[in-house]
Amino acid sequence: MSAAPVLDRPAVEPHLDPTLATREDIRPAGRRLGPGRRRRLAWLLGPGALLALWTISSATGLLDPRILSEPWTVVATAGELLADGRLQENLAISAQRAGLGLFFGIVVGALLALLSGLSRVGEALIDGPVQIKRAIPGLALIPLLILWFGIDETMKVLTITLGVFVPIYLQTHAGLRGIDLRYVELAQTVGLSRAAFIRKVVLPGALPGFFLGLRFAVTGAWVSLVVVEQINATSGIGYMMELARTYGQTNIIVLGLAVYGILGLVSDGAVRLIERKALSWQRTLAG
Amino acid sequence: MATHPGGLTAAARPAVVNPDGKPASGDVTAVSVRDLIRSFGPKGVLNGVDLDIAPGEFVALLGPSGCGKSTLLRALAGLDHDVRGSGVISVPERVSVVFQDSRLLPWDTVLGNVTLGLQEHDAEARARKALAEVGLAGREKSWPHELSGGEQQRVALARSLVREPQLLLADEPFGALDALTRIKMHGLLRDLVAAHRPAVLLVTHDVDEAIALADRIVVLDGGRVATIRTVSPEVGTAADAAGHENLRRELLTDLGVAAVSH
Ligand SMILES: Nc1ncnc2c1ncn2[C@@H]1O[C@H](COP(=O)(O)OP(=O)(O)OP(=O)(O)O)[C@@H](O)[C@H]1O
Ligand SMILES: [Mg+2]
């Protein structure tokens, strides 16, 4: 009995052949239900369309500049405010408030979620109060916070923190509680310590929930910022807009709105980028 | 002490293992189970199971679906903290479990999964060696979802063997694999067990798998050990074809299935 002849291997592995792209590639037209491949910069399309609509309506006179300033006026205003330094100054103050509030909110929210997710006592003590806090609008707390802390930075950062920690807590907690029990059993059988269990199983397992919470939190931080800056402030983007209102300077108000919008969009994009890198192990519809 | 903390099943005392790892005669056992009772609600599942496994011995556990095979294995693994029951279980210090699903952490790489819980400084080198043993050298950086089902199960084997277990518990580890892959995995498991010499308790519903791999086959029925059959090497390798067919027939009868000849 003779063995089958061994085929010579081709000089170039077919999948490495540079002419691969030009070869025939006919496939059955299978229906694809997912959204398809991700395209770079595609996220700019929606905001870009909005901007185009604004520009066209202003240029054709459809939009009265007294109602909404033209985009080019806003850009010119931005140039002036940048030149005399007011925009950077106020932006820096605002960013610092939002950043600090976000930082404390993330730390508090994630810690509480861990405590309440990993121990029954923690859950009994923490979950109820957080749900109560969730039912109280952030605005409703401001009078009390002003009485307690005055109108300085502490009150502002605290208001933002209180708005931020709730979504972080809720989503991280839900993610953590959703971890498959099979992985917990696995952790037991390989003899993980409690610390290693948290590091290797709980934190990675809760990360998708945490990131979802983070996206809510980042947007929420800017929203809370607007509120505190327009109520009681002597600096910041919100204050700049509030001042413009008293002088009827629509262009500065619109500029402030645009800045808030850009900040929100950019920070959300940043979170999503980090999320995609951190969760690259996931195989989901998002791709 | 026992690898599993707390619960009903914490080992009373770790069994002594011969330094040469050979199956010992006499009273040295890797696993000893006495009068094990487990129940879910009013329903008794295990009604007094007695079982001994010698160091290095390969025991297959057969039984009809729902007879309590997984319940027994989980008791040995210390995974049944909240299940009502009684009995005395003694298992060695190092126990590894292979599940029917490969149970790899999806957020960790293949290498990270194999080193999970290892504290020794040479953990990574050992994990690489274990992966090479199961034929997966070069796949260390892959995510679990990038592997085929059989490859994932091989990673799970590497993860359990890198701990040099004195007892390997496996609950239908090849149940989800196709027939061809399963036969390859039998060969792999046999080689690995020969090299590392853990005591093995393999839950399976496949009579041929049990005969091919085990030194002893335990049939569980009605919550007790119904029969124990020894498999001689000639029968296991089917060198003794008549003996092989005979044992197969007996086991199928034990399981309450009318034996069909090949
Ligand atoms: N967590 C549980 N809660 C309630 N009943 C359970 C639980 N786990 C197992 N049982 C019951 O205990 C009995 C034994 O289950 P077990 O999983 O041990 O069976 P098995 O022998 O492994 O079956 P199979 O071969 O189908 O895997 C079954 O009747 C099952 O319904
Ligand atoms: Mg089972």
Side-chain angles (χ1 to χ4, degrees):
Chain A
M1 205 181 86
S2 69
V6 178
L7 291 175
D8 282 334
R9 293 192 62 74
V12 180
E13 291 274 355
H15 71 282
L16 298 176
D17 187 346
T19 66
L20 187 67
T22 60
R23 290 198 192 184
E24 213 171 20
D25 180 17
I26 299 169
R27 313 179 186 203
R31 190 188 324 193
R32 175 177 208 159
L33 294 176
R37 285 178 59 141
R38 171 181 301 284
R39 291 179 207 285
R40 287 186 62 217
L41 301 182
W43 61 276
L44 278 174
L45 190 64
L50 215 56
L51 193 62
L53 189 70
W54 179 18
T55 310
I56 293 168
S57 338
S58 297
T60 54
L62 226 57
L63 204 60
D64 188 330
R66 280 167 303 177
I67 294 176
L68 193 63
S69 310
E70 303 96 334
W72 48 89
T73 320
V74 175
V75 172
T77 311
E80 285 162 29
L81 291 183
L82 278 173
D84 67 16
R86 271 164 67 201
L87 187 58
Q88 302 91 304
E89 206 175 286
N90 287 312
L91 189 60
I93 295 264
S94 293
Q96 187 194 335
R97 286 173 188 149
L100 279 176
L102 198 58
F103 172 76
F104 291 124
I106 290 171
V107 171
V108 171
L111 273 182
L112 289 181
L114 273 185
L115 286 176
S116 136
L118 290 176
S119 88
R120 296 286 168 203
V121 180
E123 180 172 37
L125 286 177
I126 294 168
D127 202 59
V130 175
Q131 301 298 339
I132 294 172
K133 162 68 190 72
R134 189 181 159 207
I136 301 174
L139 269 175
L141 279 178
I142 291 183
L144 199 58
L145 290 178
I146 292 178
L147 277 181
W148 287 352
F149 299 101
I151 57 162
D152 65 357
E153 291 302 300
T154 314
M155 181 280 280
K156 297 189 184 74
V157 171
L158 200 61
T159 306
I160 297 171
T161 302
L162 285 174
V164 160
F165 95 93
V166 174
I168 294 275
Y169 170 87
L170 289 177
Q171 303 295 343
T172 310
H173 187 255
L176 202 151
R177 277 290 155 95
I179 292 174
D180 199 325
L181 203 59
R182 296 177 311 135
Y183 299 133
V184 182
E185 283 184 3
L186 172 71
Q188 254 173 282
T189 63
V190 298
L192 287 192
S193 65
R194 188 138 185 107
F197 171 60
I198 291 178
R199 200 157 35 84
K200 292 287 190 174
V201 179
V202 174
L203 293 182
L207 212 54
F210 170 80
F211 274 115
L212 184 60
L214 189 57
R215 287 184 61 190
F216 284 115
V218 166
T219 323
W222 294 117
V223 171
S224 306
L225 181 74
V226 178
V227 172
V228 290
E229 287 192 338
Q230 293 195 344
I231 287 183
N232 252 309
T234 51
S235 58
I237 299 287
Y239 167 74
M240 192 181 83
M241 289 164 70
E242 195 51 27
L243 203 63
R245 187 185 58 83
T246 29
Y247 297 113
Q249 296 164 309
T250 325
N251 53 343
I252 296 191
I253 297 179
V254 177
L255 173 64
L257 288 176
V259 169
Y260 278 136
I262 292 170
L263 286 175
L265 194 64
V266 168
S267 46
D268 189 55
V271 173
R272 281 157 79 160
L273 191 73
I274 300 171
E275 181 180 10
R276 245 203 332 279
K277 293 272 180 268
L279 302 184
S280 55
W281 52 270
Q282 265 189 337
R283 214 166 41 142
T284 63
L285 204 63
Chain B
M1 261 314 287
T3 44
H4 29 269
L8 295 162
T9 57
R13 66 207 119 83
V16 187
V17 178
N18 275 3
D20 62 358
K22 288 260 161 52
S25 55
D27 59 356
V28 180
T29 57
V31 175
S32 129
V33 178
R34 288 289 169 272
D35 199 19
L36 189 68
I37 295 176
R38 288 289 185 272
S39 63
F40 296 99
K43 193 162 142 262
V45 174
L46 299 181
N47 304 312
V49 171
D50 293 314
L51 180 67
D52 287 318
I53 304 178
E57 188 186 22
F58 198 129
V59 173
L61 186 61
L62 283 174
S65 179
C67 71
K69 302 182 296 293
S70 298
T71 306
L72 173 58
L73 189 117
R74 292 170 58 81
L76 291 181
L79 290 175
D80 60 349
H81 302 297
D82 298 326
V83 182
R84 277 176 52 84
S86 65
V88 178
I89 299 175
S90 158
V91 293
E93 193 180 347
R94 297 191 305 277
V95 180
S96 283
V97 184
V98 185
F99 302 90
Q100 178 169 5
D101 60 306
S102 59
R103 212 164 286 203
L104 303 177
L105 297 176
W107 47 77
D108 218 336
T109 59
V110 164
L111 188 67
N113 268 285
V114 176
T115 55
L116 187 67
L118 290 185
Q119 312 208 318
E120 298 83 349
H121 63 281
D122 62 340
E124 197 179 308
R126 280 172 46 199
R128 284 177 190 281
K129 190 161 150 271
L131 280 169
E133 268 187 289
V134 299
L136 285 175
R139 302 303 297 271
E140 289 86 357
K141 289 278 166 280
S142 302
W143 295 114
H145 76 73
E146 292 169 342
L147 303 182
S148 75
E151 287 169 342
Q152 291 179 11
Q153 205 52 292
R154 268 143 67 191
V155 176
L157 266 183
R159 177 180 60 199
S160 62
L161 288 170
V162 78
R163 281 143 238 280
E164 292 292 338
Q166 293 149 307
L167 172 63
L168 179 65
L169 299 170
D171 193 349
E172 300 191 33
F174 313 130
L177 304 179
D178 65 278
L180 192 61
T181 311
R182 201 179 314 165
I183 291 172
K184 287 185 186 158
M185 293 292 281
H186 290 169
L188 177 64
L189 181 62
R190 206 176 307 131
D191 294 346
L192 290 171
V193 166
H196 298 265
R197 300 220 53 82
V200 183
L201 183 65
L202 172 80
V203 171
T204 175
H205 56 257
D206 181 344
V207 171
D208 296 314
E209 179 169 289
I211 299 175
L213 292 172
D215 304 320
R216 212 148 48 101
I217 301 177
V218 173
V219 177
L220 201 64
D221 201 3
R224 291 167 187 276
V225 173
T227 52
I228 299 181
R229 296 188 187 278
T230 312
V231 189
S232 66
E234 301 78 51
V235 168
T237 54
D240 174 4
H244 185 275
E245 189 50 37
N246 213 11
L247 177 60
R248 193 166 176 276
R249 211 181 293 271
E250 286 171 350
L251 286 169
L252 287 173
T253 313
D254 292 344
L255 292 169
V257 185
V260 248
S261 64
H262 269 322

